[in-house]
Amino acid sequence: MNLSLTELRGAYAKNKVTPREVMAMVAERCEQHRDHNIWIHQLTAAELEPYLQRLETSSADALPLYGIPFAIKDNIDLAGVPTTAACDAFAYTPERSAFVVQRLIDAGAIPVGKTNLDQFATGLVGTRSPWGACKNSFDPSMISGGSSAGSAVSVALGMASFSLGTDTAGSGRVPACFNNLVGVKPSIGLLSASGMLPACRSLDCITIFALQCDDANAILAIAEGEDASDAYSRSNPFANSARHYGQWQGPLRIGVLPAEQLSFFGHEAYAQCYQRSLAAIAASGVELVEVDFAPFIEAARLLYEGPWVAERYIATSPLIQKRPEALLDVTRTIISAGERGSAVEAFRAQYRLKALRKAATTVLESVDCLLTPTAGRPYAIDEVNQDPITLNSNLGYYTNYMNLFDLAGVAVPTGFTDSGFPFGLTLVGEAFTDRRLLSVANYLQQLFKLPLGKDQSDYQALSTAPIKNQQRIAVAVCGAHLQGQPLNWQLTERGAYLVSKTLSTPNYQLYALAGGPPFRPGMVIASQGQGCAIEVEVWSVPASEFGSFVAGIPAPLGIGKVSLQDGSVVSGFICEASGLAGAEDISHFGGWRKYLAAK
């Protein structure tokens, strides 16, 4: 079985499996892939027992992450388990878990262990560790991407439903690309950094690897929250608001790079994947607009060529001064350069960054979001060992600027090379557009319909068992709030998740309402003998957020009761008869998506 949240929640709801059985299966998979060098510390049976015993006295209805296994990058604290940052001489054992880790555990998630990483989170390759190079999930001769190497591979190989990584320069995105995963690099501060060992404290953020966008969104909703103990923690100012930050109007307009600013570093297979991906996206009706990527490229160089390396030196200076031999040669070489910077250089770099940021803002304001390759090319482990710094730098071409500019990003798989190696794109937006980006990424994931991770069940074959929860409300949607549609953000930003794709009873008619954008349908109860079954999605919405959701619904739409084909009746969108003036009856299409495709 795959370990997506939808699959596991469905299995638990039907009593097909227990958390103890899931963790036994996870342990078998960990043993099967031991040679991938994924774990620095895999929890023992004795260490897992308290988590399992707690769940045996709890209900899946009461815990949103009941029995969901997850992995933790070993620069993030888990109480009672050493944090090493891939350096034994640095190791310490925390008494408390990181703020984000504790929120996930409180929600019922089970930690599998601490994962391998590029030492002190310094690298995008996944090879810079005394625990060995973390091997790619598709091809063990290739790099996994770093620094969050083990976290990504653990999800791709079915050892965790999701994992936590960190990202300063691209570590939450490059490994996602190379292992066929969704990688969420949230806005800085959206996830608390308390209990995370900093690399560059002013830039770092905890990231999420998942099999699909719905899973990533569900984890983000639980993990986020302002933390008074973290000076960089921020709450989302746009949450539950009708600000345009969460939606797009009319055809989706995405910025892409002109040919002369693309670089695949001689890797023709990735260049072909990129062009195929863009062609499919454009064919789906998305408008692709060339924009100037030059300010982003220049800012990317500042991360390692400018004064920000000094932050890495601050984080490791006690050890690097007393025991420099404890660090790998390549790690020590990179970090030690941070000791030589001056205040004059720091201010000059800040001035230049400010100018570049202004130019980048102009670019981002011209489109709904930016789209780039996640990485220019993959490399073999042997190639990286021979030239560890240059090749690592190449991997940051599309990623290094993001935290310097305080942006949000979502990496999403969009294809495979002819040899079967994963490829993906990254969506980029301003800070706190996380949900909008996830909504667009969800659209892309549905468009490309790739398998999940490595050797996982097909994306379309996930269980759709209803999830019971006394503090949530099932809502049926039929149009602009569907997955990948312009208003889906209004659900996901409130912590809603998809329960099922189904049909109404054959008692309804569907109309394309006048006006827009966004264009919307109206679902009405049909006259006797004139109805048909309409495609709908059922979403689980937190009861605490239901009121604000309903308040934002404009006339002539509203919330009433909708009958589904399984005999259940749920809250759902209905339309007042007065709103049908000028509307087109599209009932014969059977659903909004089919109507849009035909149109």
Side-chain angles (χ1 to χ4, degrees):
M1 67 183 297
N2 77 63
L3 295 184
S4 70
L5 267 64
T6 311
E7 184 80 5
L8 271 185
R9 282 169 164 165
Y12 287 142
K14 294 181 177 179
N15 295 318
K16 287 185 175 181
V17 70
T18 67
R20 194 174 291 275
E21 291 168 337
V22 167
M23 295 311 293
M25 178 184 66
V26 165
E28 291 178 4
R29 291 179 178 178
C30 291
E31 187 59 38
Q32 178 184 355
H33 298 291
R34 186 69 59 187
D35 62 345
H36 275 72
N37 303 321
I38 295 167
W39 303 102
I40 288 180
H41 182 102
Q42 183 185 343
L43 267 64
T44 65
E47 288 171 327
L48 283 173
E49 191 60 27
Y51 300 102
L52 295 173
Q53 287 185 9
R54 176 205 175 202
L55 295 178
E56 287 170 350
T57 60
S58 302
S59 165
D61 293 344
L63 297 172
L65 296 180
Y66 176 90
I68 303 295
F70 75 109
I72 306 166
K73 185 176 180 179
D74 198 20
N75 62 342
I76 303 171
D77 290 346
L78 175 64
V81 175
T83 297
T84 71
C87 181
D88 242 344
F90 177 81
Y92 63 91
T93 301
E95 296 181 358
R96 296 189 302 174
S97 294
F99 181 90
V100 166
V101 171
Q102 192 59 54
R103 287 177 76 96
L104 298 168
I105 291 172
D106 290 345
I110 308 172
V112 180
K114 306 292 291 297
T115 58
N116 200 2
L117 67 151
D118 282 327
Q119 192 175 65
F120 290 112
T122 302
L124 289 172
V125 288
T127 63
R128 300 171 176 177
S129 171
W131 277 261
C134 185
K135 300 175 183 177
N136 184 273
S137 59
F138 282 77
D139 183 347
S141 71
M142 302 294 287
I143 64 171
S144 58
S147 60
S148 307
S151 287
V153 178
S154 68
V155 176
L157 292 178
M159 303 171 196
S161 298
F162 71 94
S163 63
L164 299 180
T166 64
D167 191 308
T168 305
S171 300
R173 293 160 278 157
V174 171
C177 176
F178 292 165
N179 292 279
N180 193 41
L181 299 174
V182 173
V184 177
K185 191 225 74 70
S187 303
I188 295 173
L190 192 60
L191 298 185
S192 167
S194 292
M196 178 188 80
L197 177 69
C200 296
R201 190 182 175 202
S202 67
L203 303 178
D204 294 331
C205 57
I206 289 178
T207 65
I208 298 167
F209 295 104
L211 294 169
Q212 54 188 17
C213 294
D214 281 342
D215 288 5
N217 180 70
I219 301 307
L220 182 62
I222 292 166
E224 70 181 334
E226 193 163 2
D227 174 14
S229 67
D230 175 14
Y232 287 90
S233 177
R234 301 185 289 182
S235 59
N236 185 352
F238 308 122
N240 297 336
S241 76
R243 292 288 296 272
H244 70 279
Y245 274 88
Q247 70 182 76
W248 61 86
Q249 299 288 337
L252 184 59
R253 199 164 182 268
I254 293 180
V256 295
L257 281 59
E260 63 271 17
Q261 292 179 342
L262 289 166
S263 183
F264 295 98
F265 305 97
H267 199 271
E268 185 60 29
Y270 253 35
Q272 291 174 357
C273 277
Y274 176 72
Q275 294 301 332
R276 287 198 296 262
S277 296
L278 287 197
I281 294 169
S284 76
V286 174
E287 181 183 0
L288 300 180
V289 183
E290 285 193 359
V291 298
D292 184 12
F293 196 60
F296 299 85
I297 296 171
E298 185 177 342
R301 291 197 294 267
L302 284 176
L303 186 64
Y304 282 100
E305 296 175 14
W308 282 273
V309 179
E311 287 200 273
R312 293 185 182 272
Y313 185 79
I314 291 170
T316 58
S317 58
L319 181 63
I320 207 168
Q321 290 171 0
K322 294 178 181 178
R323 295 185 57 188
E325 74 284 355
L327 280 71
L328 298 176
D329 289 345
V330 64
T331 310
R332 185 175 61 251
T333 297
I334 293 168
I335 293 176
S336 294
E339 185 182 15
R340 298 188 292 272
S342 70
V344 171
E345 292 170 339
F347 277 106
R348 282 176 177 161
Q350 287 284 1
Y351 301 155
R352 185 57 188 154
L353 181 63
K354 197 74 170 177
L356 293 171
R357 181 63 171 95
K358 193 168 186 178
T361 299
T362 301
V363 170
L364 292 169
E365 287 178 345
S366 70
V367 292
D368 292 304
C369 60
L370 179 64
L371 184 71
T372 75
T374 300
R377 63 162 297 167
Y379 291 103
I381 293 174
D382 287 345
E383 288 180 286
V384 170
N385 288 341
Q386 293 170 17
D387 190 1
I389 293 180
T390 301
L391 301 193
N392 184 92
S393 178
N394 292 348
L395 292 174
Y397 182 84
Y398 299 108
T399 63
N400 282 356
Y401 65 85
M402 191 172 286
N403 283 340
L404 284 170
F405 279 167
D406 191 16
L407 302 177
V410 177
V412 62
T414 61
F416 295 91
T417 65
D418 291 342
S419 64
F421 196 84
F423 172 82
L425 302 172
T426 291
L427 294 155
V428 183
E430 292 285 3
F432 302 115
T433 60
D434 306 79
R435 265 43 183 242
R436 177 172 66 177
L437 297 178
L438 273 167
S439 184
V440 180
N442 207 349
Y443 171 80
L444 296 184
Q445 197 167 31
Q446 292 177 75
L447 176 67
F448 290 99
K449 292 184 175 64
L450 302 181
L452 301 178
K454 167 67 174 172
D455 298 332
Q456 304 271 341
S457 297
D458 286 343
Y459 178 68
Q460 297 294 326
L462 300 178
S463 165
T464 57
I467 311 304
K468 299 178 181 178
N469 194 313
Q470 295 177 349
Q471 297 180 338
R472 304 182 75 89
I473 296 173
V475 178
V477 302
C478 63
H481 286 86
L482 295 166
Q483 275 189 323
Q485 294 300 308
L487 300 182
N488 183 248
W489 70 275
Q490 293 179 348
L491 289 165
T492 58
E493 190 172 59
R494 288 168 168 80
Y497 55 75
L498 178 65
V499 175
S500 65
K501 298 180 180 182
T502 185
L503 297 172
S504 71
T505 55
N507 303 315
Y508 295 91
Q509 287 177 281
L510 193 68
Y511 289 84
L513 301 181
F519 301 104
R520 298 171 297 165
M523 187 168 163
V524 299
I525 297 176
S527 301
Q528 186 70 28
Q530 295 183 8
C532 63
I534 304 298
E535 291 183 357
V536 298
E537 292 177 355
V538 179
W539 285 74
S540 178
V541 181
S544 60
E545 305 293 339
F546 185 69
S548 67
F549 176 66
V550 173
I553 298 171
L557 300 179
I559 294 291
K561 294 298 182 182
V562 175
S563 301
L564 304 180
Q565 65 173 3
D566 64 1
S568 62
V569 178
V570 300
S571 298
F573 277 82
I574 59 172
C575 182
E576 299 172 0
S578 61
L580 298 182
E584 175 189 359
D585 187 344
I586 59 172
S587 304
H588 58 285
F589 288 102
W592 185 243
R593 291 188 194 283
K594 292 181 180 178
Y595 164 71
L596 292 178
K599 184 179 179 181

